[in-house]
Amino acid sequence: MSGKLSIVVVEPDRERARLIVDSLRETGDHDIRVVAEPGHLARCIAQADPDIVLIDIADPSRDMLEGLALASGPLDRPVAMFVDRSERGLAKAAIEAGVSAYVVDGLRPERLTPVLDAAMARFQLFSQMRTELAATRRALEERKTIDRAKGILMKARGIDEGEAYALLRRTAMDQNRRMADVAEALVTAAGLLS
């Protein structure tokens, strides 16, 4: 872990929380907040806005895992979850809930840094993939709208596809707007007129 991190540790057992905090302090001067009561997790995380959330659970259930994962904001920050034991399918449920790292067999100080580093790297990778996916979906929707607008122009003006595209492009440039915005306005107007 490089640099000073803001870390929320979810651990109801006071002694285990102390060991985790001591282990984290050995890796650097981090801003660490311990949450002993998972019922207040969402509020505490919203207030702290940490860089990463570390959850330590001795014996998790599926509902507990999903509740803790969702309360910790897995789409906003990396979440590393350490469990002493895990039933079949719980790791998958945790990952599907957005947990960046799910480690079975408890939290050991020597594994803390590499697991947190992996959780942060995995979170950044998935965050980048979500951003790229959203941009691709947006581009596809814009392309569909432009195609609909071209069809409307082709039908209304009796022109071919190339001319319809050129007309949309010229209009967008003349109005200093994005072509997708001009196409959206045309599709909306055509919908109102039909």
Side-chain angles (χ1 to χ4, degrees), residues 143 146 150 153 159-170 179:
R143 184 79 242 150
I146 290 169
K150 286 190 308 187
L153 288 173
I159 56 178
D160 67 19
E161 184 177 358
E163 292 170 315
Y165 183 82
L167 180 56
L168 277 173
R169 192 169 140 219
R170 186 171 50 251
M179 199 159 120

Side-chain angles (χ1 to χ4, degrees), residues 29-177:
D29 180 31
H30 305 297
D31 178 22
I32 303 167
R33 177 179 287 179
V34 176
V35 178
E37 181 56 49
H40 301 269
L41 183 60
R43 184 171 27 92
C44 290
I45 288 181
Q47 289 172 347
D49 191 26
D51 297 315
I52 188 165
V53 176
L54 188 155
I55 301 172
D56 186 35
I57 308 172
D59 190 16
S61 68
R62 183 176 304 273
D63 291 341
M64 178 191 290
L65 281 179
E66 289 177 0
L68 286 173
L70 294 175
S72 60
L75 297 180
D76 301 326
R77 68 195 48 82
V79 176
M81 190 171 285
F82 293 84
V83 298
D84 287 347
R85 57 184 169 274
S86 181
E87 294 176 19
R88 186 177 187 95
L90 286 183
K92 183 177 186 238
I95 297 299
E96 287 173 351
V99 171
S100 303
Y102 184 83
V103 181
V104 179
D105 196 19
L107 189 152
R108 291 194 216 129
E110 67 275 7
R111 296 186 344 188
L112 194 57
T113 298
V115 169
L116 293 182
D117 285 343
M120 289 186 293
R122 184 168 188 257
F123 174 80
Q124 289 171 348
L125 176 67
F126 277 101
S127 181
Q128 180 181 353
M129 288 171 47
R130 279 192 305 271
T131 301
E132 290 172 3
L133 180 60
T136 301
R137 285 182 175 155
R138 192 171 39 255
L140 283 172
E141 286 302 315
E142 288 177 355
R143 184 79 242 150
K144 286 180 188 177
T145 302
I146 290 169
D147 286 343
R148 275 186 257 147
K150 286 190 308 187
I152 291 167
L153 288 173
M154 290 165 59
K155 185 177 179 181
R157 296 231 176 155
I159 56 178
D160 67 19
E161 184 177 358
E163 292 170 315
Y165 183 82
L167 180 56
L168 277 173
R169 192 169 140 219
R170 186 171 50 251
T171 303
M173 288 179 5
D174 290 347
Q175 295 178 2
N176 198 24
R177 295 172 62 195

